[in-house]
Amino acid sequence: MLPGVAESADNSTRSEARGIARPAVDEWLTAHVDGATAPFDYTLIAAGGSNLTFRVTDAAGHQWALRRPPDGHTLPTAHDMHREYRLMSALAGSAVPVPTCVAYCDDNSVTGAQFYVMSFVDGHILRDRASCAGMTAADADVATDSLVDVQVALHTIDVDAVGLGDLAKRDDYVGRQLKRWRDQVERANIRDLPLMVELHERMTRAKPREVAPPALAHGDYRFDNTIMNDDYKIIAVLDWELCTIGNPVADFAWSMLYWTDPGATMFVLSDPPTLEPIFSRSDEVIRRYKERSGFDLSDLPYYRVFSWWKQACIVEGAYARRLAGATGGMTSSGNVHDIATRVDRMLEHAHELARGVL
């Protein structure tokens, strides 16, 4: 999570720089990144529960971002660094703003895994309500418009024209996703999740016909995976780990999990910025996306169920990694079994939403 980010001091940790093997990484940067001068300082950006992202500062004060998989246990098909690098490279100069890709290391011997380097994009990240301090209702509306407009741009980009036509299959996105996430949970083999299995089977039987054309589906698009300028317009979209070719309506439904309205009983984020009264409510965001994309959203209730189920599967993967000793970008404080409780609550919420839908 969070490639190319800017962060405040209280969101980063220096010292250990786990996942960075010195002096090998220093030597690689000096040889492959133009203008990079040793020694380097590595600051782990302590956000997210998956890939590790570091702010790299050289002797002259130049900054880049370095991204690599978590150190320790990982699940098959996860943490594909080259996929992220390819996606951002392909989108450079498009209507979807991304950090500039600088260099890629495919030699695992350097630091135990492949990694890449990109530009460090400075700006605002709306992670929580505190990050909205000083924003007006007009600012929030600009940010909302930008969030919707960039997602519509992503969902309508010509994948063949940008060289991503072979990124994935173009049909049965939900079927592929249902299989992928159930398989990952079952490979981890941490515990029995009968509700996960039940919902998987019901969603498989009730899959709606895909009416929107296949598109780039980011897989985790939301405010805190974007960077905004001082006008609250998006200047970089981050975290391309889950991106594929898929159903844009399902991808939009996933994004709406993170748009929490006041009074909601189930949150993904612990302190979502959209709880601030300056932001529009979720039905207005849906209206804007529908109007600007032109897509039929009549199956959105199904995709909400699917999204909460998928969220539970992903968090179960984070639980498996924590039990195995890997933390990704998360701090390791707190009771690891609280993660399992979150998974259970997400599955129960999906089950409730499924009434009358599946």
Side-chain angles (χ1 to χ4, degrees):
M1 178 178 174
L2 299 177
V5 309
E7 86 295 326
S8 60
D10 60 348
N11 282 324
S12 64
T13 56
R14 291 181 187 275
S15 64
E16 294 184 3
R18 72 178 186 276
I20 299 295
R22 298 185 180 185
V25 176
D26 292 17
E27 294 170 357
W28 190 93
L29 291 174
T30 302
H32 294 88
V33 176
D34 289 344
T37 306
F40 300 96
D41 177 78
Y42 300 92
T43 303
L44 174 64
I45 298 165
S50 185
N51 293 323
L52 300 172
T53 306
F54 298 87
R55 180 176 56 186
V56 180
T57 306
D58 77 352
H62 303 129
Q63 293 189 338
W64 298 269
L66 184 153
R67 185 156 159 94
R68 59 149 292 161
D71 55 332
H73 174 73
T74 61
L75 295 174
T77 76
H79 317 297
D80 187 340
M81 295 292 96
H82 190 266
R83 185 184 184 89
E84 292 188 19
Y85 192 82
R86 179 192 175 191
L87 277 156
M88 289 191 293
S89 298
L91 291 171
S94 74
V96 181
V98 291
T100 301
C101 292
V102 176
Y104 189 87
C105 178
D106 60 3
D107 183 356
N108 288 356
S109 70
V110 175
T111 191
Q114 297 187 18
F115 64 90
Y116 64 88
V117 178
M118 73 195 92
S119 61
F120 188 91
V121 181
D122 201 3
H124 302 283
I125 299 178
L126 301 183
R127 291 193 178 94
D128 50 27
R129 284 181 286 183
S131 63
C132 302
M135 290 182 70
T136 65
D139 293 333
D141 201 54
V142 170
T144 301
D145 267 343
S146 186
L147 191 74
V148 171
D149 288 343
V150 170
Q151 189 167 38
V152 170
L154 178 67
H155 288 167
T156 55
I157 203 164
D158 186 332
V159 293
D160 294 309
V162 296
L164 295 173
D166 62 347
L167 185 68
K169 296 178 181 178
R170 303 194 184 200
D171 60 345
D172 195 24
Y173 171 71
V174 170
R176 287 186 280 127
Q177 289 280 294
L178 286 168
K179 182 180 186 305
R180 174 186 179 180
W181 293 109
R182 178 173 174 175
D183 283 353
Q184 287 213 4
V185 169
E186 291 181 343
R187 282 194 193 103
N189 197 27
I190 297 301
R191 57 188 177 131
D192 291 333
L193 289 172
L195 192 52
M196 183 275 290
V197 174
E198 177 195 329
L199 286 167
H200 175 274
E201 293 174 349
R202 291 173 63 187
M203 286 187 293
T204 299
R205 290 193 298 267
K207 275 189 307 179
R209 182 175 62 88
E210 294 185 346
V211 294
L216 283 178
H218 180 277
D220 205 18
Y221 185 80
R222 59 187 197 255
F223 270 138
D224 67 322
N225 275 337
T226 68
I227 300 175
M228 297 184 171
N229 63 16
D230 289 341
D231 295 324
Y232 293 99
K233 293 184 178 180
I234 292 173
I235 55 174
V237 179
L238 314 173
D239 195 0
W240 293 90
E241 178 181 358
L242 300 175
C243 186
T244 188
I245 296 176
N247 185 325
V249 178
D251 195 44
F252 174 68
W254 174 269
S255 298
M256 291 307 298
L257 294 190
Y258 294 89
W259 196 284
T260 307
D261 289 339
T265 58
M266 189 68 189
F267 295 7
V268 177
L269 302 175
S270 61
D271 186 28
T274 57
L275 286 179
E276 284 295 298
I278 58 175
F279 283 99
S280 299
R281 300 285 64 88
S282 57
D283 58 353
E284 170 61 16
V285 182
I286 293 169
R287 185 195 68 78
R288 294 186 195 187
Y289 178 84
K290 180 178 181 180
E291 179 182 88
R292 296 171 195 184
S293 69
F295 296 146
D296 179 357
L297 302 186
S298 57
D299 290 320
L300 202 58
Y302 173 94
Y303 294 122
R304 285 196 184 103
V305 177
F306 166 70
S307 295
W308 279 107
W309 176 88
K310 175 180 169 181
Q311 184 75 250
C313 291
I314 291 174
V315 177
E316 182 73 5
Y319 177 49
R321 291 195 300 275
R322 281 288 300 276
L323 289 178
T327 61
M330 294 189 300
T331 57
S332 56
S333 61
N335 186 343
V336 64
H337 299 295
D338 288 344
I339 303 174
T341 301
R342 287 183 60 203
V343 172
D344 296 340
R345 291 187 60 216
M346 288 175 180
L347 289 172
E348 290 162 5
H349 186 62
H351 189 258
E352 287 293 318
L353 291 175
R355 292 182 178 178
V357 174
L358 302 182

